[in-house]
Structure formats: structure tokens, C-alpha cells
Amino acid sequence: MSGTVPKIRFRDAQIEMAHGAGGKASRRLIEGLFAPLLFGSSSEPLGDAAHVSLNGSKIAITADSFVVKPLRFPGGSIGELAVNGTVNDLAVSGARAETLVVTYILESGLPVEVLEAEVRAMAKAAERAGVSIVGGDTKVVEHGKADRMYITTAGLGRPLPGLVLSARSVRAGDKVLLSGPIGDHGITILLARGELDLEADICSDTRSVLPMIEALAQAAGAGVRWMRDPTRGGVATCLNELARDCDLCVAVSEERVPMRDAVRGACELLGLDPLHIANEGQFLAVVAPEHAEVALDAIRNAPGGRDCVIIGEIRDQPSATVLGITEYGGTRVIDMLVGDPLPRIC
Amino acid sequence: MKYVDEFREAGVISKAADEIRRLADSERHYRFMEVCGGHTHAIYRFGLKDLLPPNIELIHGPGCPVCVLPMGRIDDGLSIATDPDVVFTAFGDMMRVPGTKGSPLEHKARGMDVRIVYSPSDALKLAQKNPDKQVMFFAIGFETTAPSTALTLMRAKALDVQNFSVFCNHVTIIPAIRAILDSPGMRIDAFIGPGHVSTVIGCRPYEWIAKNEHKPIAVSGFEPVDILQSIVMLLRQLKAGETKVENQYTRVVPWEGNRAALKAMAEVFELRPYFEWRGMGFISQSALRIRAAYATWDAEQRFQVPGVRVTDPKAAQCGEVLKGALKPIQCKLFGKECTPEHPIGALMVSSEGSCAAYYNYEYRKTVLTSIGIPA
Amino acid sequence: MCLAIPAKIVELSAEDPTRALIEVVGVRRHVDMGLLQDDPPRSGDWVLVHVGFAMSKISEEQALDQLRMLSMMGEDEAALDEVKGYGSHDLTEGRLTPGELSDGT
């Protein structure tokens, strides 16, 4: 079976929250509605950013929208997410973000201090990430129509030399690297909403992953096959997309996946799988085995990369599947979520 | 995590798995039923089937309180919440379970006020914070969960919170086990007993299984080591020709159960003469309803409830799968019309449902992608 | 019906004996102790928490006992194998099996 994305018709009658959650429903919407109508007949698997030619030069381009409640949370705010999210999308596509444009959709009645705080946060995050913000647009909608504010950022970047990324280049034996502990962002947001009466010392991991990726590209660029950032839908969703796009098995050693105690505790209490929880400052990379150790070292020595680990490897079978393997040899299929992760009591 | 990590330790798990392989009689085919959906979920999540010899077959039982709820009850609960002043609250487990006009989450998408709560006490707090709303808690669960609903109702009464009510779908485990054993053609050799239900009811209620039905039962915890040790206990009993109730989960389950919890249940609830279980028909004395003394907080008294019986689509074989007579993959709709994204029955949606567990954790290990698994 | 987590009581409410703050690897939540009033737990005790209510006290002694029993699984058989290795087959025939030796009852 080749690596083409199968044609999926979109049969749903209405849009649900699940379609935005990053899991199966999101994928069906994109592949079933947007792709056939907007992306032409390209058979390339969909990525985080597109690398296109303009006047003979290659540029990378991406856009992302940010919808989060509450706007401010431990470790960051919507402003930071809006900058880092787009920088990261470009980074995992193998590009260095250079400029952003930003659009705001503001709810009538929003206090100006709130807006100012987010704009300042964006300015600071942009400076930290080394990108310039060069323009944008603002719209105001009626009270109740925008959850205070929605932000979209579009980013342009320069492809990093030496990186050729494609799920189709992934081979059995390749190693799967994860930059750091999972679940911080999603659990922080869940707790910050205050509906579950849980408290923990946890904050969002929002940050630019570009420094780590630049270090990786420099040290082991030739061996990097594929990268992605596990945002909504978590590591499980990313790896499932990879498994489908390369039609191989992604085998994950469960006990090697790093996570902070607070994430573990919250997930155990609520019956959530940490692999489905959103991250805003991590990335996954598939690296050829002969380059894996060098790659790991490079990331670990880069700013923020200290916790990078190899969490698994690519195998031939079972194809298009993400397999979780325990230390004692138990296996399970790690599936993509349908919609948002829901707490359970059973 | 204390009391968790020690029971997930690879070395101990391997030892228990070795002991199972040593004890299992290669001439025999064992059929053990794990009653509780939480055990089904754990078995799949920890990949425990990979550790068992091929002659030990685990049959999934009906201990999934979401799965056994007939669609009509979900419709009833949702119809109460069509009133814009009513807030429908329930555990996350209920949110994607389909009623005839959609799941609670789908109703939420169409404008109904639907909220997830982690605890019935959170629903009560919501009512106290929103005096202009009617907060209805859609209660589900076996005896593990019923005492918490009971205490919450007692609190609602003591504080006289008028805008709170409970739609009670609590069910009891013993009649379900009895129905399994009474099913013609069901051959079960032994039971892995529901550990958390037993923290409330204790181990005595299972004695008839050992004495009258002559089946061993081990009341089991939920960590990999617990489940494997329970299987060891069952194999030892069978080898020795014994049939007794054993408590594997001694660190948490008191033989006599939790008196205070039973008392709270008895104060607030009484047994319904009969209740319909999805796929298993009407079972007498198998479910709880709210007593007259708490009628004010009984959603079925406070609101008009259609009470329409909804039968499952003929092709759906939820009942057989619930009873363990069919494996999920043997249902004609499994993986095709019925998937976690488009579930026909609750077993495909509930995190404990055997169909969901099988689909999410197992399916693609055994079925070739050429069959065309929906994305 | 089944998701219940072991948690440590870090604080009991002074005003309400049925309310306590529990912690699981640093994650804290208030839970209701109303089901354990026959033998109220103390700060530092471990309880099993389900839907925001404490269901049962966790017995450290029982947990340790269980782990001890598990760690002995297979050891008696290993000991027996060793004895067999010394050519003492006649000592083991007709005697207790390893399973019966390690049976805690």
C-alpha cells in the first residue's frame, strides 16, 4: 500500500467541537472537505507548513488560529501561544520563522487592559523567538461571539539547509525522538478552567522549539526524516498521522515517554491518557538510526532540550499503527482520539 | 505514584505471568469472565492478554454501567434538559453516548446546556451557585458510585437546595452476574470480581457464585499485578478443585464492605422491581430508584419524562457482546457502521465498553489495513 | 464504576469533618470523607478516591503483604529445581508441589 492519503468524504451534518480537537474528526474535516476543494490534486501528506517556491526561492508559510479559555494561564497566555505556535509549525516543517502577521477578532466589551496584556505578550514572545511582526488586521464582533478574543497568526520562514522532511522517507529501524515531558499545556488549561476543582504546580510549556531544531538540523540534518509538534490531540495523534502517512508501525516504549508528576496525577485522577493531551513546546522527530545518538545529543545540548529522549522506533508491522509496548512486553494500540479528551469515572 | 507503581512493576508482572503459565493446564481451555468494565479497560490498556497463554480466554462481562443503559433512558434524560432553564450534568463517560437524537455532546452543539462534572457533589455546587437554573445530575454507575450520589442527595436535602435533582440510573452487579450464569450456552469457568464495587458491598454477596454455581471468584484490583494475581488465584482453585470467594484486593476491599456507604444507599435508594438492561431485557431487583422521602430531588418526579422504550437496531448485537456471548469483532457492525466516531451502541463509546476497548487498543493488531479501517 | 485512585490526605477541614484535601503526586483536590465516618481517617492516611469521594482506607500492611507474596512466586519452585539438580529426585516425588508451597493460606 502506497503512502497516499485516502480519499474520505465528509458526511457529517453539522460542525461539532470534535472537529476542532485535533483528532480523527478534525482530520476527516480537513481531508474530506478542505483538501479536495482547496488543495488541488496534491497527493502529498498534509504537513504543518507548506514550502513553496516564490521567484525561484523556497519559502515556508503557515497559519494558525488560537482559541483558548481562559486567556491567561500559568506559564503563558493566548498571545504567547499565537507567536510560538506559528514559529513551531514552521520549525517542524524545517524552516526558521522570519516574520508574522496577526489578526485579532475581538469581542465587544473586552477591557482594553486585557488586549494590551496580550499584545505585550506577543511582542515579548516575538522578540524571544527572533521573529518580527509586520502587520495584521482587527475585527470586532458583538458581545458573546468571540470568547473575548481569537488570534490568528500567519508566518513566513526560510527553509533550514540540509533538511528534507517527508513521511515517505521514514524506514523501519528509524528512531522516534521526543523533545521533553508531555501534557503540561493541556493539563494546565484544564485545571485553569476551574471546573474540576483540581490544583497542581503545573504550567504551560509554551515556547519556541526552533533553537532545538536548528541544533538538530546542524548536527544531524541528513538523518532527520520527519518532524511534527504534538499540539491538540497530543503525541498519539501526531504519531498516528505519521503511521498512516508512512504506512509503517510506530512502536513506542511507554515507560520512556517523559511526563511530570502533576500531569501523571491529573491524568490518573481524571482517567485521561497523557498521550492525548495537548503540548505547546515540544516536538517529535524521526531520525535514521545511524544519526540518532548525535541527534539526541545535539537537542539535549540546545536551550530547552535537556529532557529529549528516544521514545521508540519504526517497524514494518502492524502497518499504519501506533503500538504502545510496556516494559514487560504487553502491547496496545495507541489510537487517535475522536474529539477532545473527556474525564471518565469508569 | 504510591500504591500504583508497585503494582505495575515489570519484574513482579513477569513473575505473575510465569506463574500463570506454570499453573495453566495445557489440556484445558479456560474461560474467565472479568465482570467489571474497568477490568476490561485495564486488560487492554496494559496489554495483559499478551502475557497469558493461548488457552486462557478472557470474556468481557456486563459491568459497564454506561453500556447497559438502554437508549430510551438517555433520551429521557436529554428530554428533561430541552427546557432552557435545565442544566444537564453528567460524568464525561456519558457525553458521547448516543440517544436517538444524538449524544449529550451533540445536544450541546445544538444549544443545550450540558456540562461535565467529575463528582455528583460538583453538580450540587453548580446548583447552589446558579439559583436561577435547574441542575439535573444524570447519575450512572454500579454500587461503587451509588453511595456518592446518595450522600449528595442527603446533602441537598439537608441544605434544602431546591434547584437540584438526580435522574437515577444506578444498577446493581449481582443480578447482572446471575443473568450471565443463567444464560443458556454460557460457559464460564471462573470470575474476576469487581474490586471497587466490592469496597462498598464487600465479598459476601458473591458467596452464592462459589457455593451454588461452583465457580471460583477472585475479587480483584485494577493494576496489572492485581489482575494477574487474581488469575493465579483462580487457576490454583481450579487445579485444587476448590470453589470459593477470594479477596485479592485486600489493601482496599474489606470483606464486610463499607457499612456507612451501604447505610447511605439504603437511606436514599430502594430497589426498582425491575429495570431494563440493554441487550439483556428486564431484570428484577437490579436497579435503584430514589425513595419517596427524597422525591423532591428525583428528576423523574420533578419533570415529565417520555419513558419511551427504544430498541437497538436489529443488526446491532450489543446484548450478546455485553453478555460475553460474542466478541466485539463478531458483531456485524463492528468497525464498519459502528466505530468510536459513529457509534451505534454505547459499548463502542464508553471507555469501558468492550467494543471501544477492542477497537482502540487491539483491533489494528489483528486486522489488515487492506480491509479499509475508517479514519 | 471503576476508576478509583489511591491518594494521601494532606489536610482535614477543621469546620467540616467530611471534607479533606487529598494529593496524588502533587495534584490536589478536595474530597468528601462522608463514607468513611465510621472510622475517620487522619491526615497522612491513604484513601481510595472515586468521583470525589473517599471509598476506603488503604492498608499499607496488606499492600506490603501482597507484594511480598508476589515476590515469592516461583521462588519455591526454583529452590525445588536446585534440590532436583543435586540428584535428589526421590526427595521431591510425592511431596508438596511448588504451587502448594507458595500458597499463602
Side-chain angles (χ1 to χ4, degrees), chain A residues 70 74 185-202 262 266 270, chain C residues 27-28:
Chain A
H185 180 77
I187 295 299
T188 298
I189 298 296
L190 199 58
L191 266 46
R193 291 212 181 114
E195 291 155 9
L196 296 165
D197 194 19
L198 285 180
E199 249 178 54
D201 243 322
I202 188 81
L270 298 171
Chain C
V27 181
R28 290 172 296 280

Side-chain angles (χ1 to χ4, degrees), chain A residues 253-272:
Chain A
S253 294
E254 304 238 34
E255 73 282 350
R256 291 214 223 135
V257 178
M259 78 185 80
R260 296 191 207 281
D261 277 347
V263 169
R264 186 162 179 223
C267 286
E268 291 277 353
L269 262 169
L270 298 171
L272 299 169

